[in-house]
Amino acid sequence: MYRTLQALRLARLLPAAKNPNKSWGHVRARTSSASFHLLEDCLELNYEGKPMIFNYVWLRDHCRSESSYNSSTSQRVGDTGSIELSIRPESSAVEDDHLILTWQGGHVSKYRLSWLAENSYEEKKQATVHPRILWNSDIYKNANITSANWEKFMSCDSELKKFLHDYLQYGIAFVDGVPATVEATEAVTQRVSLIRETTYGRMWSFTSDFSRGDTAYSQLALDRHTDTSYFQEPSGIQVFHCLKHEGTGGRTLLVDGFYAAEKLRQRSPESFDLLCRVPISHEYVENTESHRNHIRGVGPILSVYPWNNELFLIRYNNYDRAVINTVPHDTVKRWYEAHRELTSELRRPENELWVKLDPGKVIFIDNWRVLHGRESFSGLRQLCGCYLTRDDVLSTARCFSLLP
Ligand SMILES: C[N+](C)(C)CCCC[C@H](N)C(=O)O
Ligand SMILES: O=C(O)CCC(=O)C(=O)O
Ligand SMILES: [Fe+2]
């Protein structure tokens, strides 16, 4: 106890700013589980056995006092543009599980130690942003995930929460018993997110009538792919509801793109890195009597968060991939090798989940993760659906505490 107090006093007395030679020195404070010392431009904190470092500008910018932060709107009030970039605290202490810094000019900032720990880079780089269960066909089937029930889904938050939980884990989720109409399909999507209107409409309902300049509007088989890869930000969710099918074939193929990409990362890290680094264009060019579009988006096949290397997006659509003209010939050769390796993983039969979408069954597909395709078919087949925004489904999930 005595030593703790002494250390605290020492920490307060030593003005870090006026002590350049000793700036990284041994200004220490201890409570039962925390110690810290002041370095040249940052503070090193050891909390519950974990070391972490906070820059002084960062600390001033993240002050949670009323004049710096509005806790009822969770918005910053302080002006980051007027913080002295070489700012340093004049005194520092740890008291009651808080770090207390007094800045030049007298402003006092107080940070809960557990808040600092949760928000430290050291913590974030270890943590998974979006925990998931990667699957192949057996893994998915053995998990016995049940579909949500339309009636309950529309009225009961616990049914929606379970659905969202499954959707976040597997990147696909189903609602059963939905009336086979566009209106009911729209209603079911409104529980989850907002519709992303595109050139195909808000809600779309299509047959193989070639009404648009795209092979989706045919009876042909479609290999696994993600949709709207030609958007700078591909659509977050794909919703399908087969309203009618009088004929054969037409099953839906689903492949977990992240399962395949993680296999590639294990087998061939250089190929994985290359697919993360090389930007590729995708294009939607439509020139018919009724529709003219020329949409182009650029981005790598795989995207990972830079701080923890976690995958968050796969764009894979060989139909819509545009001319590659931004990559030198030697890199392009390596890129084709890496693309082939990923394609082989995606095409492994054990990774393919085939489902027949019958009227009543609405599927939600995470279009940033799970690829879809279809078997060729005969007869009249009417499919309706829409794209939904990704930010809003994640927001719904956070409101249920399903994501940090
Ligand atoms: C879903 N819906 C039929 C409306 C549009 C299909 C878009 C097809 C396009 N090749 C793509 O992959 O984005
Ligand atoms: O017809 C289908 O089942 C899906 C076609 C497709 O890939 C799409 O519309 O995005
Ligand atoms: Fe598609």
Side-chain angles (χ1 to χ4, degrees), residues 206 216 222 225 227 238 240 252 372-374 381 383 387:
F206 69 102
L222 292 176
H225 64 274
D227 263 34
Q238 167 89 283
F240 286 133
T252 297
H372 64 278
R374 76 161 178 233
R381 179 170 175 272
L383 202 65
Y387 297 113

Side-chain angles (χ1 to χ4, degrees), residues 326-342:
T326 49
V327 189
H329 70 94
D330 46 345
T331 309
V332 102
K333 174 81 191 301
R334 272 295 292 126
W335 184 87
Y336 275 105
E337 284 164 5
H339 183 265
R340 181 66 51 87
E341 288 173 272
L342 177 63

